Amino acid sequence: MCVKRKTVKVNGEDYPYELVKSKFLKLNSSHLEYVIGCMRETTTKIANIRAYMVTALYNAPNTMNHYYQQLVQHDMYGGGWEEKGMLQPKAEGDG
C-alpha cells in the first residue's frame, strides 16, 4: 500500500496502482476473516503466498457474498441441515 508503483500484479495481470490501493482501503474485518477462512479450508499447496493473498484480498468484496450465499443454499436445500441432524431426511415419495 505504501510503495508507489504504476501497476500491481493481481492474478497474473497488471492493474493500476491507484485502483488496487482503492480496493484495499475499502476492505474490512469481514473480508479478512473470509479470506483467512478460505485459506484454512484449502488443501491446495500455495506456492506464492504473497501473490495468493493479493489476489484473494483484491477479489474478496466481489466473492464473499456469493460464497456465503452458496453455503446457506447448501445448508437449507442441499442436504446440509440433514447432514447436521437439523432436519429429518425426506421420505421416499415426498416431493
Side-chain angles (χ1 to χ4, degrees):
M1 293 284 303
C2 297
V3 177
K4 290 287 183 184
R5 298 180 185 158
K6 291 184 180 181
T7 61
V8 176
K9 201 170 283 287
V10 178
N11 200 28
E13 293 187 37
D14 287 327
Y15 287 87
Y17 169 81
E18 291 299 326
L19 172 66
V20 176
K21 180 179 176 182
S22 172
K23 286 192 95 170
F24 278 16
L25 288 173
K26 293 176 184 172
L27 294 175
N28 60 42
S29 62
S30 296
H31 297 114
L32 300 178
E33 289 175 17
Y34 161 67
V35 170
I36 291 168
C38 289
M39 287 182 68
R40 274 192 200 116
E41 293 178 15
T42 189
T43 57
T44 306
K45 182 178 181 189
I46 301 169
N48 185 339
I49 194 71
R50 181 188 177 283
Y52 182 93
M53 289 296 292
V54 167
T55 299
L57 290 168
Y58 182 84
N59 290 317
N62 298 328
T63 59
M64 183 175 74
N65 290 336
H66 298 292
Y67 174 80
Y68 289 125
Q69 182 179 20
Q70 186 278 327
L71 285 179
V72 170
Q73 288 293 102
H74 174 265
D75 282 351
M76 291 180 69
Y77 306 110
W81 283 11
E82 291 173 11
E83 292 169 8
K84 294 177 178 124
M86 297 172 78
L87 287 179
Q88 295 299 320
K90 288 184 181 178
E92 212 167 299
D94 287 351

